[in-house]
Each structure stands twice: as C-alpha cells, then as structure tokens.
Amino acid sequence: MAATPNKQEPVFELIRSMSKAEKRNFKLYATRLAGNQEAKFLTLFDYLDSLDEYDEKRILQRCPIKKEQLPNMKAHLYKQILVSIRLLDVQRTVPMQLREQIDFARILFDKGLYRQSSKLLDKAAELALTNEQYTMAIDIVEMQKKIETLNISRGILSKSESLSRLAGTMCDKIVRINDLSNISMQLYGLYLKLGYTRTQKDIDLIIQVYGQKLAKYEACDEGELSFTERFFLYQANAWYNYILHNLLLCYKYVCRWISLFDEHPHMKQLMYDAYLRGYSRLLDSLFLLRSHKRFVSTLRAFEKEIGEIGNISDNARMIALQILYTNRINNYFREGLFSDGIKIIPEVEEFIRNYSNQLDLHHRMVLYYKIACLYFGNGNYGPCMEYLKRIISTRDPQIRRDLQCYARILNLICSYESGIDYNIDYQIRSVYVFLVKMNDMQQVQLEMMRFLKRLNTIYAGDLKEEFRKLYEILKPYEQHPYERRTFYYLDVLSWLQSKVEGIPVAEVIRRRFLSENK
C-alpha cells in the first residue's frame, strides 16, 4: 500500500530542511562522476524537492523507480545528502574537524606512518583542549599512547608520563561535567513535567535531592574549573532556583551564565544552543521579576545577537526566533498592549508552520498559551479558546502538566465571558477532576473553581461584589512561596479587577504598567 500524503519520511524532511547552498553543493557532489548524471537517486532528490507533502504514490508514478527499489533508494539518497552536508560544514564545526583529524590520523597509523599520525594528533589535541572537547581529547590521547608504544624514540618515558597525567586530568573534568550536566538535565526534565514547585513537599524534595548535590560544588574555586564545568554549574543552579521561585538567585546565576560566554566568545558558536537558552532564562527571570527596563534592554541586546548566532545553522535560527517571539509577546503582556500584540500572531503562526518538524511540543505549547493570553487580554474569547484547545487536546498528560491545567482554567473563564456557558457545570467538573488527577489543585485554583461553580447562581446586581470578594481572597496569595505560581500563568487578579471596575482587562494592566514605570 502506498504511503499516505502526510506520512513523515526522514529523507523528505531532510531535503525540506536544506538551504539553497546545501542543495547546490549536493548536486555538485552527486554529479562529480560522469556516470551519476542520470542516477536514479538524483531524479528522486529533484522530485522530492518539488513536493510540498510526501506522497509515495505520486513518486512511483513520476520517477523511474520500482516500488521494491524505493526503500533502498531513499536510504542511499539520505546517506549521500548527509555526506555532502558534512563536507560543506566540516570547516565550520569544531567537533566535525576533530573527528575528521582523528580519522586521518587512524589512516596514517594503519599505514605505519607513525610520525605523521602523531603530528596530526598533536594539532587535534590542541584544538580539542582549546574548545574543551574533552571526550574527543581522551580518544586522541589514547591513540597517541598507542603510537608511542610502537614508535620507540628518545624521550618516550617523559611523553608517556605527560600523556598519562593529561588523560587523568581530563577524566576528572569529564566526571564533574557529567555530574553537573546530569543535575541540570534532571531539573529541566522536572520543569517540563511539573513546571514550578506546587507544594511545600515539592520544595523540600527538590532541596533534599538536588540542593545537596549542588552544595558540594559551592566550595569549589571557580577559577580552577573549566568553561564547560562552570557553564553546567551555573545552568544547574539557574534551573534549581527557577523551579523553587527563587527568581533573584536564578537571575544571578543566569547573568554568570551569559557573562561566561562573553568572556569566551569563541564558545558561542560551539555551544550556541546553550548560549541562546541562557538568554531565554535571563529574559524570563526579568519578566517575572517585573524589571521592565532591564527586560527591554536585554531583549534589544538579544535581537542584535540573533544577527550573528542565528546564522550559524537552521537550529540556531529556530531557537533564536522561538525565544524572540515568546519575549516580544511577554513585552506586550507587561505593557498591556494586547491590540498591538495581536498583530504579531500571523508571524508567529508562520514560524510554527515553517519549523513544524523541528519545534518540540513543549515550545509549541508555550507559544499557543502565549497567543491565547494575547487574545484573552484583547477580549477575543473565541480565538483564545481555539488556541487553548490545542493545548487541552495534547495526548501526553505528562508534558507541561502545568500548562495543560491552566489552559483548562482559562478556557472556563473564556466560556463564561463569551456566554458559552450552557454546560459550564460539566466543564467545571471535568477541569476539577483533571486538576486532582494531575495533583495540581492548590488553594488559588480551589477558590477559583468554587467561584466559577457559583457564577450562574449569582444575581446580576451582586456580581461586582462577588468579584471583589474573590479578589480580596486571592490577593494575599500573590506573594505566597508556592501559591503565587498561579499568577505566573494567569493574571487572574487583573481580570477580577476589570470585572469590579467594569473596564477591559487590558486597561487594568496598562494602567498598572504606567503607574509602575512613571
């Protein structure tokens, strides 16, 4: 049976991701031999490049390839494309350069040209150590040891000792880097699953497990740590404090994170994803700390960085644009300019479509929620609910459970505001069950659910007073150690104030912004 038009195919996705320069280079690489001018895999490449969607039936009709040949042909084309891109990128990417040099040294070694192999490895070792590629440096040192045992020469003892000491030092660094990167990755995974800490039990558990792991590095002299060790130390501490709502400490470590790259600018290109994610955490911390002037200046600095970092690769461009759009929307939130924010939505939607295969579910959900909140702030409840449904319909309940919970709560508020509340009782029960199932029912959510449940029974003349009462109940939680997390996701206090005063929620937020930034 032919593949359906929407079936994802690795080779098709790879071709769609290629730049014009990469396609041109592939054609030159593939036609380097006269016999390849009419090669079937080139015909397949040209036809796949012309398609908007993968359709196996059309491919078999248009290309001179039999059905039983197609799997092998696609695999061959896939490999040839990767080889051509590698040849194009090898001089721009340090890890690729190192692997190439190690391969060349191996070829020379197998031919018995030990001196040439050793010289090549010496240069590769210097490059690896300069760029802190310790894992590959270990491979280089091990190969150098092998050469020294076969190439008996004066000074072999001293060089062997030097290589042994170097290997030991690098192994110690790799162990520390591995430990710190594991802590950072586990904390990030925890955030993707749960978001911020929800209860005192969560806080105690994270402090007990991860606080103790990080504490042993507090006594370290940072001057003795390598760039990579310091980076993972700052990253782990930033995530640790971010999840615990310690935003000032998070800001402190993220500033060190960014400064570290500024001190070693050559590492920006090598670890562009880490550098860009540092800016993301920095902007997010400033947004939550309500430090608007610093937020705006940092956002402008980031926009300048995109010009350089964003051109490294498609992946760098995608990460940079995702961070840029998220924080531009945050800026509209803070300034209360929701009508201006609505204008950016088509551009964000185009970005999501263009990178649909690369953009992970977590970041798509964040953008959907941000767009929904823009529509809500502007009073467009129908479009808001459409974007919320994209989050609510997520099949995996373990991915950003926090966003899935608050999307449902905001959807309830939109149902009330838009007058689509004929089944509000059923919706409330459904949301209540989901919150309990996800273990995300805190006091703020509980008070809101109780209020929404009573809405249809409150007389119109009493509504403002009931909104005011709920506002007074929730206001003290704004500074609560973990109850305040609700207000990071949903500015329910501004909504309640708008209902009490009878004005749009955007006007409440705009007025507060102007008051705070006179």
Side-chain angles (χ1 to χ4, degrees), residues 368 372 375 380-391 411:
Y368 290 152
Y375 276 125
N380 306 120
Y381 303 115
C384 174
M385 294 168 74
E386 287 299 317
Y387 278 92
L388 292 173
K389 285 176 183 175
R390 298 187 189 185
I391 300 171
N411 193 61

Side-chain angles (χ1 to χ4, degrees), residues 479-496:
Q479 301 302 324
H480 193 278
Y482 43 83
E483 291 284 353
R484 62 184 175 183
R485 68 189 283 268
T486 296
F487 306 107
Y488 296 160
Y489 299 95
L490 183 62
D491 194 353
V492 65
L493 293 176
S494 294
W495 174 66
L496 292 172

Side-chain angles (χ1 to χ4, degrees), residues 143-172:
M143 195 166 178
Q144 285 177 317
K145 286 181 182 178
K146 189 180 292 186
I147 291 172
E148 290 303 318
T149 60
L150 295 174
N151 184 27
I152 305 300
S153 61
R154 186 183 299 175
I156 185 173
L157 185 59
S158 60
K159 186 164 184 178
S160 297
E161 290 176 351
S162 174
L163 289 172
S164 297
R165 285 196 299 270
L166 181 59
T169 301
M170 287 189 293
C171 284
D172 290 341

